[in-house]
Amino acid sequence: ASLQALKAARWQGPTPQADAARPALALALLDCLASPDPVLRDGIAFEALQAWMRGRVLDEATVRQVQQRVGALLSAPPDAAGLVQPFAALVLAEVARVDRLQPFLQPDERDALVKLSASYLQGVRDYRAFDPREGWRHGVAHGADGLLQWALNPALTRVQADALLAAIASQVLPAGAHAWQHGEPDRLMAPVFYLARRPFLSAAEWQAWLVGLAARRAPAVPTTALALAQRHNLGMFLNSLYVSVA
């Protein structure tokens, strides 16, 4: 009830004492990212962490502790429920956003987190998205949101950009005959769109990257579930990218 009241107050503590307790509460809420209750996991824990980091009311030491905790979650093997890692990825995206707007990471720290974000997205094999009882998992979409924040970061290097693009390419055509249906191509497209606005890749290199995506498709003949799913997924991604560029 107290957390619901805090949410109703737009995550602003009613007293100075409540504000002073915010760092400890932020760290405690990280445990709720594994909750099977979407109200607690998504509607409270993630919303609070996002609001506080975007509102710049968490000090650097607390943000670093958040980063370390969610980084450890993403580095561990996936849990059976498949809930905690997608939300850890989403929280890490907020850490990346903090660093984009108010840089606090050293180059080697940033490089390690960019690699972790890319590795997580590339390794997602749990393609569950929305469940009426348990809410969102959405590992690919949440992972792509993290890559979007790194793509926008002025400190990003060409080598890091290549790592982001390789991770995205791996999920445009996911493993097996899974067909995206919950907006994943739009989320995968966003970091590509913003990387294209930066001077990393030449037109010829972008052409090669796009041709490489198409080359990974299964043969269209004979018709198979895999070929149909890949045609759908690639088309959704390219159409989204085309509309954004246009």
Side-chain angles (χ1 to χ4, degrees), residues 55-213:
R56 302 181 182 181
V57 295
L58 294 180
D59 59 27
E60 180 182 323
T62 303
V63 174
R64 281 187 172 278
Q65 290 183 72
V66 169
Q67 168 234 306
Q68 291 162 5
R69 290 270 299 277
V70 296
L73 291 171
L74 289 179
S75 300
D79 64 308
L83 293 167
V84 67
Q85 285 193 325
F87 280 87
L90 212 49
V91 172
L92 185 58
E94 294 301 321
V95 172
R97 184 180 185 275
V98 171
D99 181 64
R100 172 168 69 86
L101 298 175
Q102 291 183 303
F104 71 95
L105 295 170
Q106 296 301 312
D108 59 331
E109 295 175 315
R110 186 178 299 110
D111 186 60
L113 290 176
V114 171
K115 289 176 179 175
L116 177 61
S117 296
S119 176
Y120 167 72
L121 176 62
Q122 197 157 1
V124 172
R125 293 296 179 269
D126 184 345
Y127 298 138
R128 289 175 289 179
F130 181 74
D131 177 87
R133 183 170 60 87
E134 295 183 328
W136 289 101
R137 285 175 173 82
H138 229 194
V140 164
H142 290 186
D145 290 350
L147 268 58
L148 170 60
Q149 292 299 330
W150 295 124
L152 291 166
N153 195 308
L156 192 77
T157 68
R158 168 61 194 267
V159 171
Q160 292 166 346
D162 286 341
L164 301 187
L165 288 171
I168 293 163
S170 73
Q171 293 292 7
V172 170
L173 299 176
H178 182 83
W180 296 130
Q181 56 181 320
H182 291 91
E184 294 88 349
D186 293 337
R187 305 279 273 276
L188 289 165
M189 176 280 300
V192 176
F193 175 77
Y194 285 101
L195 285 172
R197 297 166 66 91
R198 304 185 63 172
F200 289 130
L201 277 71
S202 67
E205 288 171 317
W206 278 115
Q207 179 75 7
W209 188 79
L210 292 167
V211 169
L213 283 182

